[in-house]
Amino acid sequence: MPDSRIDRRFAAVKAAGRPALVTFITAGDPDLETSQAILDALPGAGADVIEIGMPFSDPMAEGVPIQLATQRALKGGQTMAKTLSMVRRFRERDADTPIVLMGYYNPIYVRDPKAFVKEAKDAGVDGLIVVDIPPEADDELCIPALEGGLNFIRLATPTTDDKRLPAVLANTSGFVYYVSITGITGSASPDAGKVSAAVSRIKRHTDLPVAVGFGVKTGDQAAEIGRSADGVVVGSVLVEAIRASLDAHGRATGGTVGAVTDLVREIASGVARAKRG
Amino acid sequence: MTMKPNTFRAGPDERGHFGIFGGRYVAETLMPLILDLEQAYKDAKADPAYQAEIDDLNAHYTGRPSPLYFAERLTAELGGAKIYFKRDELNHTGSHKINNCLGQILLAKRMGKTRIIAETGAGQHGVATATVCARFGLPCVVYMGKTDVERQKPNVFRMKLLGAEIVPVTAGAGTLKDAMNEALRDWVTNVDSTYYLIGTAAGPHPYPEMVRDFQAVIGKEVKEQMLAAEGRLPDALVAAVGGGSNAIGLFHPFLDDPSVRIYGVEAGGRGLEGNEHCASLNAGKPGVLHGNRTYLLQDDDGQILEGHSISAGLDYPGIGPEHSWLKETGRVDYVPATDDEALAAFQLLTKVEGIIPALEPAHALAHVIKLAPTMDKDQIIVMNLCGRGDKDVFTVGKMLGFDL
C-alpha cells in the first residue's frame, strides 16, 4: 500500500523524536454540533491522530465512560451518516491529521462492508478499528478496506501470544494498537514495565508503529508509556471530561469544548516529555 | 436462494459457520481463549470418561430421561393430532437449562478454570448455573438486567441461596442483552481464571455447537421414547425459541427425518407490527452481535433494538445462529405467538392437564393449539415442555388481576 496519511504522520512524529498522541472521542457526544467543534479543535490542542468512535448500542469492550458517551450520542440522534459527515466537514479545514473510525461490526455490516469502505474513504477517513472482527474473518471487512485504500488497524492484547501475533499482524497497516490490559476501556491503569516489554515483543514481529491504549489517563502516564511506545492513545478520560462539563440536563455548556482541549494539551505535554535522547 | 444441503446435521464448519451464520466475532483479548475452548471441547468429546460423567449426572442428579407424556385430555379438547409433551420441566432446577450447565461445568473443570460467570434473563439459566457451581464448589457470578432482577425475584433469591453473587446490570433497558454485554466485559477482564457459561445456543463458536450437543439429549430421548410408545416418528415438533437452546436440543436429532415437520415459536409480544416483540426471525434481519452472525432486531443504522415479551426468558433481540440457518434453508418454520396467546395457553394447560408451564413453553403450546386441530387424529405432535411455571405465577397473577 502506498504511504497513507497515517504512515506520514507517524513518520513525521518519529522524526521529531517523540511518540504520537492519539485521541479518541465518540461521534455525536454530547450532540452533533459540539462533537464537531471538539473534533475540529483536537489537532490544535496537540492530537496527532484522531480516533472517532462510531456509536453502537452494545459496546461490549467499553468501560462505563465510553458506554455513557455512546448513550449520549445515540440519544442525541447520532447515525453513521452523521458520523461520516463530521469527517467530511473536518477534512474541509484539515488535510493532514489522520482520522480513524473505531467501533463495532454490525453498523458496518448492515450498510454492506464494501459500500461502507467507499463512503468512509470519500469522506476522508484513513483507517478503521473494528473491535469484534478478528483476523479469522479478514475476508469480510479487512481485505475490502485495504483494497479500498483504508488502513486496517488491529488490536493486539496481552493474550495475543507469539504464536498468534503473526496472524494478527498479517493484514494490519497504519499502526498496531496494543491494548495494555486484559479488560475494558478506561478501567485499570497499565503497568509501564509490562507495556514496554510487550511493545518490544510486538516490534520483533513488525516494522509498524505501535500505539498503546486502554487506561491511560494523565500526562505523566502518557510520558511513561510514550518512552517505549510509538503512540499513546487516550479516550475514556476525554469523554469523562465531556460528561463532567455538561449541565444538569446533560447538555453541552460553554466549557465543554475547552474541557477536552485543556486535557489534550496537558497530555500532549506529557507526550512531549517522552522525547527520546 | 440457499442450496438444499444433503444433511441438516453436519454444521457448523471449522470456522463455526452454519451457512453465513455463526462465526467468532469477538475482541482479540478473547480470541485465544475461544480457540482454547474449542480445542478443549474437541478433546472432551473424544474422551469416553467425559460423556460417561455427563450421563451419570443426567441420570442421578437431573433425573433423566425426562418422561414423554401423552396429554390425553388436551388432545381431546383440541380434537386433532395426538399431543405428547417432553417433560423437561421435571428436571432438577425446573427446566432444560441444567442439561447444558452440567456439560459446561465439567468442561470448565477440565480446563482448570476456578471461577464461573453467566448471564440470565428469566433466571432459569442463572439458577441452573448457580446449582452446578454449588455442586462442584466453584464461585459463581451471575449478571442479570436490573429490570429482570425486579420481575424475577424468586429466582434471584434461589441463586443467592445457592451461593451465587448477583450483579444487577443497569446499562440499556436492563434485560438479557445488557446482562450478556456485562458478562463479556467481566470475561475480557478475567480471562485467565474465568469460564463464561453461556446459557443458550448462541455466542461465538464453539458455544452454539456445544450447547446444542448438550441439549440434544432431549431430542435423542424423544426419538427412542416415541418409537417405544407409537412405533414411529412424530409428524410435528414444536418448541419455543428465545436464544433457542431447548428448541435446537429437540430438533437436531430429527433434522434429517423429512417426514417430521418442525416449528419454532417466537415471542410475538404485543404483535409484530410495532417493536414490542422478540420475533427476530420473523421481523429482524441478519447482523452481528455477541460473537455471532444471526437474525437480530435492529434499526436501519444497525443499532440493536430492545425487544418485549411477557416471558423474560424470550426477551432477547437475537437467536442462536443455527436457527437462522434452519430458517433460511426452510427446514424449520418459525412462527410467532403473542403474549395473550401464551397467557391463554398457560391457563388451558393448567386446567386441562394439571401442569403449570413456564411462560416460555406456553408460547410453544399456543402454536400447538393452532396446529393440532388442523391435523388428523392419527397424527402426532411432540412439544418440548421445557420449564415449569412456578417462577411465573406472580407475573401471570398480575396479568390476570389477581392480588398475590
Side-chain angles (χ1 to χ4, degrees):
Chain A
M1 176 184 272
D3 267 10
S4 69
R5 217 180 252 132
I6 297 175
D7 298 332
R8 291 196 294 274
R9 177 55 57 97
F10 271 98
V13 170
K14 189 179 181 189
R18 65 171 176 89
L21 175 58
V22 183
T23 57
F24 171 96
I25 56 165
T26 297
D29 171 28
D31 61 72
L32 185 59
E33 287 312 305
T34 310
S35 190
Q36 183 80 52
I38 295 170
L39 174 63
D40 292 346
L42 283 172
D48 297 305
V49 176
I50 298 171
E51 291 176 7
I52 301 180
M54 301 173 279
F56 179 49
S57 51
D58 294 79
M60 276 106 36
E62 314 302 342
V64 171
I66 296 178
Q67 287 179 44
L68 292 175
T70 299
Q71 285 173 18
R72 290 193 295 270
L74 289 175
K75 202 172 156 219
Q78 189 68 14
T79 60
M80 187 67 91
K82 288 179 184 174
T83 300
L84 292 171
S85 82
M86 284 176 63
V87 180
R88 219 171 287 119
R89 281 179 63 184
F90 176 85
R91 276 283 165 256
E92 288 166 10
R93 59 170 74 197
D94 187 317
D96 302 317
T97 306
I99 298 268
V100 175
L101 292 183
M102 180 164 185
Y104 296 81
Y105 186 33
N106 198 53
I108 295 172
Y109 178 70
V110 297
R111 292 175 91 84
D112 177 67
K114 276 189 185 148
F116 170 78
V117 164
K118 185 171 185 318
E119 277 183 285
K121 179 75 185 170
D122 290 348
V125 171
D126 302 292
L128 299 179
I129 301 176
V130 182
V131 176
D132 55 352
I133 189 154
E136 283 76 358
D138 266 357
D139 51 332
E140 286 198 42
L141 178 61
C142 174
I143 303 298
L146 296 176
E147 285 172 359
L150 294 179
N151 284 135
F152 200 84
I153 296 122
R154 220 175 256 301
L155 306 180
T157 71
T159 61
T160 315
D161 58 19
D162 280 322
K163 199 174 76 191
R164 188 167 164 79
L165 253 179
V168 169
L169 296 172
N171 290 315
T172 301
S173 64
F175 62 98
V176 180
Y177 186 140
Y178 180 66
V179 175
S180 63
I181 53 162
T182 55
I184 50 180
T185 52
S187 51
S189 291
D191 173 325
K194 282 186 186 163
V195 167
S196 169
V199 170
S200 308
R201 182 167 71 89
I202 293 168
K203 283 183 162 294
R204 284 201 294 274
H205 293 265
T206 181
D207 295 329
L208 289 170
V210 179
V212 175
F214 277 46
V216 181
K217 295 185 178 83
T218 65
D220 287 342
Q221 275 181 328
E224 215 180 349
I225 298 287
R227 273 182 205 108
S228 60
D230 303 302
V232 180
V233 190
V234 288
S236 295
V237 73
L238 300 184
V239 302
E240 266 301 278
I242 292 176
R243 191 189 59 77
S245 75
L246 303 178
D247 70 15
H249 305 286
R251 288 179 301 228
T253 61
T256 298
V257 176
V260 178
T261 50
D262 286 353
L263 189 53
V264 170
R265 269 189 202 94
E266 190 227 312
I267 298 170
S269 74
V271 166
R273 288 200 298 281
K275 194 159 179 138
R276 287 108 201 221
Chain B
M1 192 62 209
T2 318
M3 290 256 290
K4 260 294 180 263
N6 291 323
T7 169
F8 290 95
R9 303 183 68 229
D13 68 16
E14 273 172 24
R15 291 165 72 195
H17 288 109
F18 302 91
I20 67 160
F21 300 104
R24 287 179 286 228
Y25 299 89
V26 297
E28 174 58 23
T29 308
L30 293 177
M31 265 316 284
L33 200 71
I34 298 269
L35 296 172
D36 282 354
L37 176 62
E38 187 185 348
Q39 189 57 50
Y41 182 55
K42 266 187 200 155
D43 295 346
K45 266 203 295 195
D47 179 356
Y50 175 72
Q51 191 55 50
E53 202 173 357
I54 293 178
D55 291 346
D56 185 65
L57 285 161
N58 277 346
H60 302 107
Y61 191 66
T62 304
R64 301 210 73 92
S66 66
L68 184 70
Y69 167 73
F70 172 49
E72 195 179 346
R73 293 235 307 142
L74 184 69
T75 298
E77 173 89 16
L78 297 176
K82 292 176 84 170
I83 299 159
Y84 280 85
F85 292 132
K86 180 59 171 167
R87 302 284 308 271
D88 255 47
E89 103 279 14
L90 295 176
N91 292 340
H92 180 43
T93 76
S95 80
H96 67 289
K97 293 293 187 186
I98 189 86
N99 304 331
N100 167 46
C101 288
L102 285 169
Q104 286 200 55
I105 201 151
L106 292 177
L107 190 61
K109 282 183 74 77
R110 283 175 73 102
M111 293 176 76
K113 300 295 178 184
T114 55
R115 175 177 178 266
I116 304 292
I117 60 170
E119 84 296 334
T120 197
Q124 294 303 91
H125 174 58
V127 167
T129 305
T131 298
V132 298
C133 286
R135 167 66 182 74
F136 287 93
L138 289 173
C140 177
V141 176
V142 177
Y143 289 91
M144 189 167 184
K146 196 165 176 292
T147 309
D148 289 336
V149 169
E150 280 154 18
R151 62 177 167 173
Q152 301 289 337
K153 278 187 186 143
N155 272 345
V156 172
F157 183 58
R158 288 166 80 193
M159 287 185 271
K160 284 185 179 165
L161 279 174
L162 289 160
E165 180 194 338
I166 315 300
V167 182
V169 178
T170 52
T175 58
L176 182 53
K177 145 178 115 72
D178 310 296
M180 198 150 180
N181 290 334
E182 209 55 33
L184 283 164
R185 291 181 187 119
D186 179 315
W187 199 22
V188 96
T189 308
N190 300 293
V191 269
D192 287 338
S193 65
T194 298
Y195 183 92
Y196 182 13
L197 209 163
I198 293 183
T200 194
H205 178 64
Y207 282 100
E209 175 188 10
M210 194 164 70
V211 176
R212 176 200 73 199
D213 292 350
F214 298 138
Q215 294 294 2
V217 67
I218 299 172
K220 282 177 201 155
E221 288 175 6
V222 167
K223 222 170 192 179
E224 283 172 21
Q225 291 167 320
M226 185 51 73
L227 287 172
E230 297 272 358
R232 66 179 188 91
L233 295 177
D235 299 284
L237 300 176
V238 182
V241 289
S245 71
N246 92 81
I248 201 69
L250 173 65
F251 299 167
H252 195 259
F254 292 93
L255 290 176
D256 286 337
D257 298 309
S259 68
V260 182
R261 291 168 65 191
I262 306 181
Y263 299 91
V265 187
E266 295 194 289
R270 300 194 176 103
L272 262 47
E273 306 78 34
N275 283 331
E276 290 187 288
H277 58 77
C278 287
S280 31
L281 289 172
N282 278 288
K285 58 182 180 181
V288 175
L289 179 72
H290 293 154
N292 57 175
R293 176 168 22 235
T294 193
Y295 273 78
L296 300 170
L297 299 179
Q298 53 183 322
D299 68 14
D300 290 341
D301 217 37
Q303 306 296 339
I304 310 304
L305 300 173
E306 301 287 347
H308 158 82
S309 171
I310 187 177
S311 146
L314 303 180
D315 204 344
Y316 179 69
I319 175 88
E322 194 165 7
H323 287 292
S324 291
W325 179 72
L326 290 170
K327 172 201 159 72
E328 294 229 330
T329 54
R331 178 63 186 97
V332 176
D333 284 323
Y334 293 91
V335 294
T338 63
D339 286 354
D340 289 346
E341 290 169 335
L343 202 57
F346 177 99
Q347 294 172 83
L348 179 68
L349 187 64
T350 305
K351 282 184 185 143
V352 175
E353 292 287 348
I355 298 172
I356 302 179
L359 282 170
E360 292 79 16
H363 284 74
L365 186 63
H367 189 68
V368 169
I369 291 171
K370 294 175 203 167
L371 184 65
T374 70
M375 293 169 68
D376 293 338
K377 289 191 174 177
D378 62 352
Q379 291 188 298
I380 300 166
I381 298 174
V382 176
M383 190 199 99
N384 197 8
L385 189 41
C386 63
R388 59 177 172 241
D390 312 38
K391 70 181 174 65
D392 291 317
V393 291
F394 293 96
T395 305
V396 172
K398 210 168 145 190
M399 296 287 291
L400 298 178
F402 203 85
D403 189 15
L404 290 171

